[in-house]
Amino acid sequence: MKNQPASASLTLLLGGLAAVPYSGIDINLPALSATAAALRVGPSNVGLTISAFMLSLALAPLIYGPVSDRVGRKPTLVFGLTLFVAASLACACSQSLKMLLAFRFFQGAGAACTTLTFAIARDLFDEMTARAKIANIVIAINVVTVIAPSAGAAVLAIGDWRLIYVVQASAGVVLLAIVVVGFSESAKLCHGSELLPSAIIRDYIRFATDRVSVVFTLVGAAGGATVFAYVTGSSLFFVGVVGVVGLRPGQYAIIFSACSAAVMCGAIIDGRLGRWGALPAKTMTVGLGLLFASSSAMLALTLAGFSSTAAFATLLMIVALAFGISLPNIINATMQSLPDIAGTVGAAAGSIQMICGSGASSLVAVFFDGRSALSMVAVMAISSLLALSLYLMAPIPAPPRLP
């Protein structure tokens, strides 16, 4: 495999790698009850396996990023994917909840190496090409988000919950083989760099003192918090508000899938705009403005006592579309000014964004009143306003367009 901008195989590999963490969450959702019954614990306790996976997914990149800047993306990916495969098989063999929680943590730590895909895109391509590649990665992630729960249900229909982990391990083996055999190192390694704690700390200090990277990290975190809020709150509202909305799970799944498809459409639109010469700054302004406008419209409708399913579903899809338009540009801009430590920057940004997203999700759940979408739309409106304000008010220029 040659690391060329026109290589479809490279695009597929990056998309497949980036989708691993999301598949590790979504494919297991249909099997939570079956897992609880097999391990003789409550379903809510098995839900902690998702938390364990996401915790390591937030923390592990902080190690992978600076390591990959020094030893390379390829060996880091090989280590992480090997850990993912081993931990997935260990999950399949777990005989207790404690064992499953421990192995799910290590599974997430292995999957976290795939967050390097955005750094790889920045390694290989100029700004405009990287923007298109990142858009394709976002599309791949959302394809998995749409099909993973159904895939998990299909696997559960022919086997038990352990088979789902075997399937994940098998997918990891395929990706590992492709990386080992066909992927060329993308990072421009500095042979004088040392893998020492002091050197890693210096890299994180460089990130923390670079205004461009920090501002776009916070813009991405606020935008991501908007989406995490609707992921959590939409289920509570559409399914949980009985007598007002009270959709069946299958009906809600259609809405959720439509939102994932809207993110994909947004990323496709951004890719087209890039090829037509649209500046990233203008695209981000439009995307973040649309994100705030649609979130605010939902808040206004809620405060007015209006709870139309069709109206809320439509506005949620607009939110998802706006996020899809904005996200590739935000990711690209975050690493723009520090390309030599793109792994470190991407790791720090990803961890911050996941922590903020988890916080937004928790706020929605804690303040849900059981009668309306107020907690969801309030968090969405505040988060989207913060994202737009940070972008518009930042005393820094947008990343330049290369000729």
Side-chain angles (χ1 to χ4, degrees):
M1 181 183 299
K2 295 182 179 180
N3 299 336
Q4 299 296 328
S7 171
S9 57
L10 179 62
T11 300
L12 289 173
L13 174 60
L14 294 181
L17 288 170
V20 168
Y22 299 89
S23 67
I25 297 171
D26 295 342
I27 198 172
N28 288 284
L29 295 178
L32 293 181
S33 296
T35 305
L39 298 180
R40 298 179 181 178
V41 296
S44 59
N45 292 328
V46 174
L48 294 174
T49 61
I50 302 295
S51 301
F53 186 90
M54 292 185 68
L55 176 63
S56 60
L57 202 60
L59 297 178
L62 296 175
I63 299 174
Y64 287 132
V67 169
S68 73
D69 288 332
R70 286 163 173 77
V71 305
R73 315 293 186 216
K74 183 171 181 175
T76 308
L77 284 172
V78 169
F79 172 82
L81 288 170
T82 301
L83 178 59
F84 176 77
V85 170
S88 297
L89 294 175
C91 287
C93 298
S94 296
Q95 300 299 316
S96 69
L97 178 61
K98 288 183 179 180
M99 290 178 63
L100 184 58
L101 286 171
F103 292 135
R104 278 288 274 172
F105 181 87
F106 286 110
Q107 187 191 34
C113 75
T114 62
T115 57
L116 295 175
T117 51
F118 297 116
I120 292 171
R122 283 298 310 148
D123 292 339
L124 296 175
F125 311 112
D126 62 30
E127 180 189 347
M128 298 308 293
T129 308
R131 173 183 171 186
K133 290 292 181 181
I134 291 172
N136 290 334
I137 293 171
V138 172
I139 292 169
I141 290 172
N142 283 276
V143 168
V144 169
T145 301
V146 171
I147 67 176
S150 298
V155 172
L156 198 61
I158 62 175
D160 64 6
W161 63 274
R162 298 179 189 276
L163 184 58
I164 291 178
Y165 290 107
V166 174
V167 169
Q168 292 179 71
S170 300
V173 168
V174 172
L175 288 171
L176 177 60
I178 294 173
V179 169
V180 170
V181 174
F183 178 69
S184 301
E185 179 57 56
S186 65
K188 298 174 178 62
L189 301 176
C190 177
H191 296 291
S193 298
E194 293 181 301
L195 191 59
L196 298 174
S198 58
I200 293 173
I201 290 172
R202 281 197 300 272
D203 284 352
Y204 279 117
I205 291 175
R206 283 185 63 194
F207 163 74
T209 54
D210 185 271
R211 292 191 301 167
V212 174
S213 294
V214 169
V215 167
F216 279 107
T217 292
L218 296 177
V219 170
T226 306
V227 174
F228 269 83
Y230 97 63
V231 168
T232 300
S234 60
S235 176
L236 295 173
F237 174 66
F238 285 117
V239 180
V241 183
V242 179
V244 179
V245 183
L247 299 181
R248 294 190 299 274
Q251 294 172 315
Y252 166 70
I254 294 174
I255 294 175
F256 189 83
S257 296
C259 289
S260 295
V263 177
M264 287 188 282
C265 289
I268 292 171
I269 291 171
D270 175 66
R272 291 288 180 88
L273 291 174
R275 286 192 290 273
W276 293 339
L279 292 175
K282 291 183 178 179
T283 305
M284 276 189 279
T285 301
V286 171
L288 293 172
L290 187 59
L291 188 75
F292 171 63
S294 50
S295 298
S296 299
M298 294 180 68
L299 177 60
L301 290 177
T302 300
L303 293 176
F306 189 71
S307 58
S308 167
T309 301
F312 273 78
T314 300
L315 287 169
L316 279 177
M317 283 186 277
I318 295 174
V319 167
L321 179 73
F323 185 68
I325 292 173
S326 307
L327 184 59
N329 296 283
I330 294 171
I331 294 172
N332 195 30
T334 300
M335 295 181 283
Q336 181 70 27
S337 60
L338 297 172
D340 58 315
I341 55 168
T344 300
V345 174
S351 294
I352 291 170
Q353 289 163 9
M354 182 161 287
I355 290 169
C356 291
S358 299
S361 179
S362 299
L363 286 173
V364 171
V366 168
F367 290 102
F368 178 60
D369 59 13
R371 302 185 305 274
S372 72
L374 183 58
S375 66
M376 175 183 75
V377 297
V379 173
M380 289 176 65
I382 293 171
S383 298
S384 59
L385 175 61
L386 182 59
L388 180 61
S389 300
L390 283 168
Y391 177 66
L392 294 178
M393 297 173 62
I396 55 175
R401 179 190 176 191
L402 297 179

